Amino acid sequence: MPASCPTAFQVLEIRVTFPATTAFYTGLFAMLYVGLSAWVVATRVNSDVLHGDGGNETLEKRIRAQGNFGEYVPFAVLLIALLEAGGSGHTLVQSLLIVLLVARILHPFGMLAPKNSAQQYACRGGGILATFIVIAVAGIALLLR
């Protein structure tokens, strides 16, 4: 049998690039999530609420800010990591991560802003809109690969 013909015992070699840029930002996201979690815990302790929100509107908003982060950030980071590991350009990966980081920093400030205020629209609305855009752009970029 010729040397170039694969056999059943040969291993397929797959080259995967470690998504170093995404890994760095994931560390930042982890610190932000810990901060949001500590924010919730501190409010629980100060309000003497062990479960749920105890009817405390501030605690409810902080719980939702933390929960929203946990709902969207892991999926967005996974999409971006797949792009980076698949060889997408550094500019695209870095841009998506920066927008996501800014969006996720803004969002909690908007959650605590007065209802229908400019701060609420800019921070909460802008934060989630930017998060959706990051997910959509990353998803489309993966589909176009």
Side-chain angles (χ1 to χ4, degrees), residues 10-145:
Q10 289 178 318
V11 177
L12 176 64
E13 181 180 328
I14 299 174
R15 294 179 188 247
V16 177
T17 303
F18 178 73
T21 302
T22 304
F24 173 79
Y25 279 88
T26 301
L28 296 176
F29 288 121
M31 295 303 100
L32 186 53
Y33 190 70
V34 167
L36 288 170
S37 298
W39 198 38
V40 170
V41 169
T43 307
R44 284 187 182 286
V45 169
N46 290 336
S47 303
D48 196 28
V49 177
L50 295 178
H51 304 287
D53 60 28
N56 182 321
E57 187 178 329
T58 300
L59 179 56
E60 177 188 15
K61 290 178 180 182
R62 290 179 181 191
I63 289 169
R64 282 310 310 142
Q66 178 204 29
N68 188 277
F69 185 100
E71 293 160 2
Y72 288 102
V73 172
F75 185 59
V77 167
L78 174 63
L79 293 171
I80 298 166
L82 289 170
L83 280 173
E84 185 176 9
S88 285
H90 181 72
T91 301
L92 174 63
V93 169
Q94 182 94 7
S95 298
L96 290 171
L97 288 164
I98 290 170
V99 170
L100 185 62
L101 183 62
V102 170
R104 300 325 301 178
I105 289 171
L106 288 176
H107 185 261
F109 290 106
M111 289 292 291
L112 292 179
K115 186 176 181 180
N116 297 323
S117 67
Q119 182 182 348
Q120 181 189 38
Y121 289 121
C123 295
R124 183 179 183 191
I128 196 61
L129 182 62
T131 300
F132 288 165
I133 289 169
V134 166
I135 290 171
V137 168
I140 290 167
L142 284 171
L143 290 171
L144 295 176
R145 290 196 51 77

